[in-house]
Amino acid sequence: MTGFMKFDISRELYSEAIKLMPGGVSSPVRAFKPHPFFVSKARGSKIYDVDGNEFIDYCMAYGALILGHANEEVKNAIKEKLEDGWLYGTPIELEVKYAKLIRKYYPSIEMLRFVNTGSEATMSALRVARGFTGREKIVKIEGSFHGSHEAVLVKAGSGATTFGVPNSAGVPKDFVKNTLQVPFNDVQALSYVLEKNKDVAAVIMEPVMGNSSLILPEANYLKEVRKITLENDVLLIFDEIITGFRLAMGGAQEFYGVKADITTLGKIAGGGFPIGIYGGRKEIMEKVAPSGDVYQAGTFSGNPISLLAGYTTVKTIEKYNAIERTSRKTKKLCEAITDDLKNAELAFIASMFCIYFGKTPKNYSEALKLDKDSYMKFFWKLLEKGVFFPPSQFEVCFMSFAHSDEDIEKTANAIREAYENSSRN
Ligand SMILES: Cc1ncc(COP(=O)(O)O)c(C=O)c1O
């Protein structure tokens, strides 16, 4: 940090945090060097740190906040509800209401279970896929991230890639011996693996990869994946924890016209509070306890505040047509900067975008070739200009409904200047 902004209080706090928490943080990708800034508050498109700096935020809590920070509708709903208490450990009416709303937009989700995080949702989705099929293997895509549980911590993208540890210590080999991997956008590799392995329960994938930079599916790839999984009688799990309520109300499944057998949702679906959801065909979900023999439970599952924040968020997105309007903002920003990037490239879809220091990747091994050091220089230059991008080339930028035209113009100028000063061209 060598620019004009002051980060004195953040630096001080970090020197204490590092003694108390691994890397000084509660989740790895937050720990950028030399130290992260500590946030005091956030409103709309802006996030403020303890030193009084203001940033236009494109991290948006890693995609959890499509309406921007502290959205009024969500805030008011929660404030009012807090009077009634916030945790009961019993069923509540909102579970039924929210489940119906989700089912309306995700016809492939006939039944669902509310859990607490995206990791819990994918962990449980894989368990029910295995319980339903009676098979043990799963196939994941190289560089996809489905949370930090054992079965999927192999070439897991995101924080794991940023810090150069694609496989985690502490995961016994036996726990991942049933996790097979194929590259994204490679239909033949998937066909081959499924033909060779007749004991695969499910293929799990992010339909649009958002944890190894942004990697878009090539034309017809997802339809082909659906066809191959059906031909091989293998379940298809779409991890829509990023894409759900973002690409379309019905997520990537609506956007690309492909139906999954099991879907996981999170992030936006909790309106900024912890949530995970997994759901799918009735016959599959009926395997889950207490109706079936696949056990999964949680004290905080179906948390009333998370459900209310999520439900209100989805209704607010609906009310303002926020997906389409936020997508237009993204297009506007991306089109404004495309010609200025020279050797860098850019891609966007709906409200997600990514500037690549290198070539636009089509799979994980191509993403690994991106110049992450130049990205980090760019990141710091941007921050000095009051724009907060995610602190890793392997993360994705998120526009929100709260970003204004003025924010977009300021961001476009900041990107041009920061890029000039950080690229190797
Ligand atoms: C696609 C995807 N799946 C699962 C997860 C895990 O979700 P959570 O962090 O809520 O456990 C993430 C988190 O970034 C994600 O991006």
Side-chain angles (χ1 to χ4, degrees), residues 117-120 122 145-147 206 211 239 241-242 267 275:
T117 62
S119 300
E120 199 184 346
T122 60
F145 180 66
H146 303 293
E206 296 173 75
N211 285 286
D239 178 349
I241 284 163
I242 292 181
K267 301 212 186 219
I275 206 165

Side-chain angles (χ1 to χ4, degrees), residues 4-35:
F4 303 109
M5 271 183 184
K6 281 202 181 313
F7 291 100
D8 298 346
I9 304 176
S10 278
R11 192 182 317 111
E12 188 77 8
L13 281 172
Y14 192 66
S15 67
E16 293 192 52
I18 196 99
K19 291 180 217 143
L20 299 164
M21 293 168 281
V25 289
S26 298
S27 192
V29 82
R30 298 176 198 172
F32 48 86
K33 285 192 166 54
H35 62 80

Side-chain angles (χ1 to χ4, degrees), residues 43-104:
R43 297 267 184 293
S45 61
K46 309 279 182 358
I47 195 161
Y48 302 86
D49 73 6
V50 286
D51 285 283
N53 301 309
E54 175 188 294
F55 306 101
I56 306 171
D57 185 6
Y58 291 92
C59 191
M60 279 292 151
Y62 294 90
L65 298 168
I66 195 168
L67 296 174
H69 292 282
N71 171 268
E72 285 296 315
E73 269 99 336
V74 177
K75 187 168 67 184
N76 292 338
I78 297 165
K79 261 189 177 167
E80 205 175 297
K81 190 64 198 158
L82 281 175
E83 289 301 321
D84 299 335
W86 40 87
L87 189 65
Y88 313 122
T90 66
I92 57 170
E93 188 181 353
L94 189 55
E95 287 171 299
V96 177
K97 242 169 106 176
Y98 197 11
K100 280 189 186 163
L101 183 62
I102 291 167
R103 208 174 55 172
K104 173 176 136 191

